Amino acid sequence: MTTAQQPENKGQQTRTVAELVDYIQALITEIQELYCLDEIPWVVGYSGGKDSTATLQLIWNAIAALPAEKRIKTIYVITTDTLVENPIVAAWVRNSLKQMKSEAESQGLPFETHLLQPEFKETFWVGLIGKGYPAPRGKFRWCTERLKINPSNRFIRDVIRASGEAIVVLGTRKAESTKRASRMKKLEAQRVRDRLSPNMNLPNSLVYSPIEDWQNDEVWIYLMQWENPWKYSNKDLFAIYRGASADNECPLVVDTTTPSCGASRFGCWVCTLVSQDKSLTAMIQNDEDKEWMQPLLDFRKELDTEETRDRRDFRRRRGNVQLYERILEDGTSIEPIPGPFIKEAREDWLRKLLTVEKQIRQTAPENMRDITLITIEELSEIRRIWLEERHEFDDTLPRIYQEVTGEEFKDPRPGADYSLIGRDEWIVLEEICEGDAMHLELMANLLDTEHQFRKKTRRTGIYDTLEKCFNTSSRSPEAAIKNARLKRELNEAVSQGDVAKVKQLTLGDVPNEEPAEESKQVTWANIKFAKKSEPIIE
C-alpha cells in the first residue's frame, strides 16, 4: 500500500503550497487503497469544525474518484449533539448533515449520516437540575463521558457487532496541543498496520487520522482552495471561525506565511471546564445579530460560580456525610464535601433555564425561534427523579413550567401525573414538621418506603429500608457532621494504634456503620423480631 510521506521534523518544517498539493494527492491515493483493502466499515467523526470538515472532505473526494463498482463499503458519518452545543454551530452541523445526505444520494456515494444524542437520562440538565450535580470541574468531569463519548461509542459498538471490526476516522492533529501530540505518538508505536492506530477504548477497532501531521494553516488552505464536495460553503465555516475570534481578524489564508484564525474552539455553551467561553463571547461582541445569545453567556457565568456551598446538601447523594481537609488562609478545616444541589437550588436553576429559553425565542432570528434548551423528555426525567428518588411530593416541575412558559406541562411518560401525596398534603406535612427540613425529608422517605412495599406479597427488606431512612435523614446537619467527625477520629485512632483514644471515643455515641450480626444495636428488625425473653438494649 502506498503511504503518504510525512516531512521530517514536522514540528519545525512547514510545507509550501506546492508541496501541500502533492501531499494531498498522495493522501487521496492512500485513502483509496485503505478503503479498497478490506470490507471493514468506516466510521467518520464529524463535528462541523475545520479539522473534521477537512478530514471528511479528503475522504469524500477520494471515494468519489473511485469507480462505482469499488464504492461498495458503507462510510458512516456520525455527529454527536450534546443538546447543549453552541446554537450557531449546532444549526450549522444539522444543515450540513442534511446537505451531505442529499449529495451522497445524488452522487451515488456510500456515505450514511447519523446525528447522535445522549440518552435523556444522561443529559446535562438531567444531571444538574434533576440529580443536583454541581457544574463540571476538573476533578468532577461528569459530563464528557455521558454527553460525548457514550453516544458515539454505542454507535461504533453496533457497527462492530454487525461487521466484526470498524475503522474510526478522526480529524485529530498533533499540532492541536502538546498533550495530544504525545498521546498520538504513543499510539503510533503500537500500530499493527500502516497509518492505523489501536483504539484503546473500543476493542476490534482501529483509528485512522489522515491529517494528523497538518498544521493549522494547512487545514485552512485546503478548505479555502478545494471546493466542498457536498456543496456546503467552507467560506461560511471560515466566517463562523472569524466571528469567534476575539479580535475579529481572520485573514484569507493563501499561503503558509499567512496566519489564520483557526485556533478558535467551539463546544458546549454551558461548559465550566474552561475559564471563559471565548468563542461565544467573541461571536456576541463581533456581530450585533448574535446579541440574542447574551442570556446564554450570562447563564453560563452563573453556573461557573465556584462557591455554591449554601445551595448544596451537606451529604453526598446517597445520604452519607463525607469529610475532607479544606485549606483555608489560616490553616485547614475538616468539613463535609458538598453534595448535590438542594431542592430550592434545583428549582431555581430550572426556572432560570426556562426563562432564558423563553427570552431567546423572542429575540433570536426567525430561523432560530424554535430553539430548545431543554427537551420535554429531559423535563419528564427530572420530574421523575424529584418525585421517585428525592421524594419531593409537592411536584413543583409542572407548576414552574406553567409559571414561566404560560403553557401546561404535558408529560409524555405514562402515569407521570401520579403522586403519593398532593400539593395540599405536602403543605400540611410541612406545617407538621414546623420548618425542620430533615424532619420533612424523613417523613417523606418513610411514607414512600411504606408505599413501595405496600403491595408486595413478601415485604422482605422493608426494615432495612426504613433503617436507612433514619440513618440518612433523622439527624440535624450539625449532629450528622459531628457524628461523621467522631467516626473519622475513631478510624484515625485505630489506624494509629492509639488504644487510649479508641477507648475514649467508643464511650461516646459512635454507631457502627456495618454492625456484626451479634450486635445489640437497636434496629427495626430486632425490635420487631426480638424474643420475649430477650431484652432490647436501649
Side-chain angles (χ1 to χ4, degrees):
M1 184 191 75
T2 303
T3 302
Q5 297 298 314
Q6 310 298 321
E8 296 181 2
N9 301 321
K10 307 178 191 68
Q12 300 175 6
Q13 293 186 2
T14 303
R15 285 176 283 250
T16 65
V17 174
E19 289 173 338
L20 181 62
V21 171
D22 292 338
Y23 175 63
I24 288 173
Q25 188 55 52
L27 193 54
I28 287 177
T29 301
E30 174 186 291
I31 292 169
Q32 291 172 335
E33 292 181 349
L34 271 174
Y35 177 81
C36 297
L37 192 62
D38 49 47
E39 296 181 356
I40 302 175
W42 285 16
V43 180
V44 182
Y46 174 72
S47 67
K50 67 182 191 307
D51 294 336
S52 64
T53 299
T55 300
L56 181 56
Q57 187 166 305
L58 278 169
I59 304 294
W60 191 294
N61 286 331
I63 303 306
L66 287 172
E69 62 271 15
K70 291 187 176 182
R71 303 195 300 254
I72 57 175
K73 188 166 65 176
T74 302
I75 298 177
Y76 302 99
V77 180
I78 62 171
T79 296
T80 301
D81 177 10
T82 63
L83 300 179
V84 282
E85 296 290 329
N86 179 307
I88 300 296
V89 178
W92 165 270
V93 172
R94 286 195 299 270
N95 293 332
S96 178
L97 290 178
K98 291 177 183 177
Q99 180 72 13
M100 205 179 295
K101 180 180 179 181
S102 175
E103 284 300 314
E105 292 174 353
S106 64
Q107 297 177 32
L109 297 177
F111 292 92
E112 189 177 295
T113 61
H114 294 268
L115 182 62
L116 311 178
Q117 293 180 341
E119 294 182 351
F120 66 87
K121 292 183 179 181
E122 294 188 333
T123 67
F124 184 85
W125 298 122
V126 168
L128 189 134
I129 299 177
K131 298 178 181 178
Y133 293 158
R137 300 292 176 192
K139 294 183 179 179
F140 188 42
R141 192 169 181 156
W142 57 267
C143 56
T144 306
E145 185 172 357
R146 289 176 171 87
L147 305 187
K148 290 182 176 289
I149 298 175
N150 289 347
S152 58
N153 281 0
R154 276 193 294 267
F155 184 91
I156 297 171
R157 286 194 188 99
D158 289 341
V159 173
I160 293 173
R161 289 191 191 100
S163 306
E165 294 180 89
I167 292 177
V168 182
V169 185
L170 302 176
T172 51
R173 295 185 299 113
K174 295 173 185 174
E176 289 181 81
S177 67
T178 304
K179 186 177 181 180
R180 174 66 59 83
S182 176
R183 177 174 173 78
M184 292 179 73
K185 287 178 181 178
K186 287 180 181 178
L187 293 176
E188 275 183 30
Q190 302 176 38
R191 285 178 175 172
V192 294
R193 290 175 57 182
D194 289 340
R195 301 278 277 161
L196 299 180
S197 300
N199 189 334
M200 306 309 293
N201 299 317
L202 291 171
N204 293 350
S205 66
L206 296 171
V207 175
Y208 177 39
S209 305
I211 66 168
E212 61 185 3
D213 292 304
W214 287 30
Q215 297 300 312
N216 205 50
D217 294 338
E218 292 175 329
V219 175
W220 281 117
I221 290 173
Y222 179 61
L223 291 177
M224 292 296 100
Q225 302 302 319
W226 276 259
E227 184 180 359
N228 185 297
W230 57 91
K231 299 180 181 178
Y232 211 55
S233 175
N234 286 343
K235 291 182 179 179
D236 288 346
L237 176 63
F238 184 81
I240 292 176
Y241 273 87
R242 176 178 179 174
S245 299
D247 54 5
N248 200 22
E249 287 295 328
C250 219
L252 181 61
V253 179
V254 293
D255 57 46
T256 54
T257 64
T258 307
S260 75
C261 66
S264 303
R265 299 186 68 87
F266 303 105
C268 303
W269 66 267
V270 294
C271 184
T272 51
L273 294 171
V274 292
S275 58
Q276 182 185 8
D277 191 334
K278 296 180 180 179
S279 61
L280 183 58
T281 302
M283 280 185 174
I284 296 171
Q285 291 176 346
N286 295 336
D287 189 349
E288 62 181 15
D289 290 338
K290 293 184 174 65
E291 289 180 357
W292 60 272
M293 293 192 294
Q294 183 63 44
L296 299 181
L297 200 60
D298 295 338
F299 190 93
R300 185 253 176 211
K301 289 178 181 177
E302 284 195 60
L303 284 176
D304 201 22
T305 302
E306 283 282 354
E307 191 53 65
T308 57
R309 292 171 182 271
D310 59 329
R311 293 165 60 83
R312 292 168 62 182
D313 203 324
F314 66 95
R315 301 158 297 177
R316 305 307 297 272
R317 184 166 160 74
R318 293 187 178 182
N320 61 306
V321 178
Q322 187 173 347
L323 303 176
Y324 78 113
E325 289 188 11
R326 186 185 181 193
I327 300 176
L328 303 174
E329 293 182 359
D330 54 349
T332 60
S333 173
I334 305 299
E335 299 181 8
I337 297 176
F341 284 116
I342 60 176
K343 183 177 188 291
E344 291 75 12
R346 287 181 275 113
E347 292 173 351
D348 183 52
W349 285 127
L350 176 61
R351 188 174 285 105
K352 287 179 178 177
L353 179 62
L354 291 173
T355 301
V356 169
E357 181 181 83
K358 180 180 180 181
Q359 182 178 352
I360 64 176
R361 282 181 174 178
Q362 296 171 345
T363 57
E366 195 65 34
N367 63 335
M368 299 289 286
R369 291 288 173 90
D370 61 345
I371 188 171
T372 299
L373 299 185
I374 183 169
T375 66
I376 292 296
E377 289 75 18
E378 290 176 283
L379 289 167
S380 176
E381 176 62 11
I382 290 170
R383 184 188 189 191
R384 185 199 67 78
I385 292 171
W386 287 3
L387 282 171
E388 297 180 10
E389 296 181 17
R390 308 297 297 184
H391 314 296
E392 295 164 359
F393 300 119
D394 51 342
D395 195 16
T396 57
L397 188 143
R399 188 170 69 256
I400 293 172
Y401 184 87
Q402 187 163 24
E403 288 174 358
V404 177
T405 67
E407 301 174 1
E408 180 183 357
F409 178 67
K410 297 180 180 179
D411 200 318
R413 185 165 47 92
D417 292 328
Y418 171 79
S419 180
L420 179 60
I421 61 176
R423 171 65 179 167
D424 293 340
E425 291 82 359
W426 181 266
I427 293 174
V428 171
L429 195 60
E430 285 181 319
E431 293 175 353
I432 293 174
C433 295
E434 298 180 342
D436 188 332
M438 297 305 297
H439 189 193
L440 177 63
E441 179 182 296
L442 177 61
M443 293 299 103
N445 289 352
L446 292 174
L447 284 169
D448 194 45
T449 298
E450 170 59 28
H451 177 259
Q452 290 175 20
F453 282 89
R454 81 187 194 285
K455 290 185 178 180
K456 292 185 178 181
T457 305
R458 297 185 61 197
R459 290 156 65 93
T460 304
I462 186 172
Y463 295 114
D464 290 338
T465 307
L466 290 170
E467 195 70 36
K468 184 179 179 181
C469 294
F470 282 95
N471 288 340
T472 60
S473 306
S474 61
R475 293 185 179 93
S476 67
E478 295 76 17
I481 294 171
K482 180 181 179 181
N483 187 61
R485 285 175 174 155
L486 285 172
K487 290 180 182 178
R488 179 188 176 96
E489 291 179 17
L490 179 59
N491 289 334
E492 289 178 349
V494 170
S495 63
Q496 295 170 3
D498 190 340
V499 178
K501 191 169 184 179
V502 170
K503 289 181 177 179
Q504 176 188 356
L505 292 172
T506 49
L507 292 175
D509 181 20
V510 187
N512 190 358
E513 289 257 337
E514 297 180 359
E517 291 183 4
E518 66 272 17
S519 171
K520 294 300 182 179
Q521 181 184 4
V522 179
T523 66
W524 283 87
N526 62 31
I527 292 176
K528 177 71 176 178
F529 300 110
K531 296 177 183 179
K532 293 182 179 179
S533 59
E534 180 183 24
I536 298 296
I537 304 299
E538 294 291 347

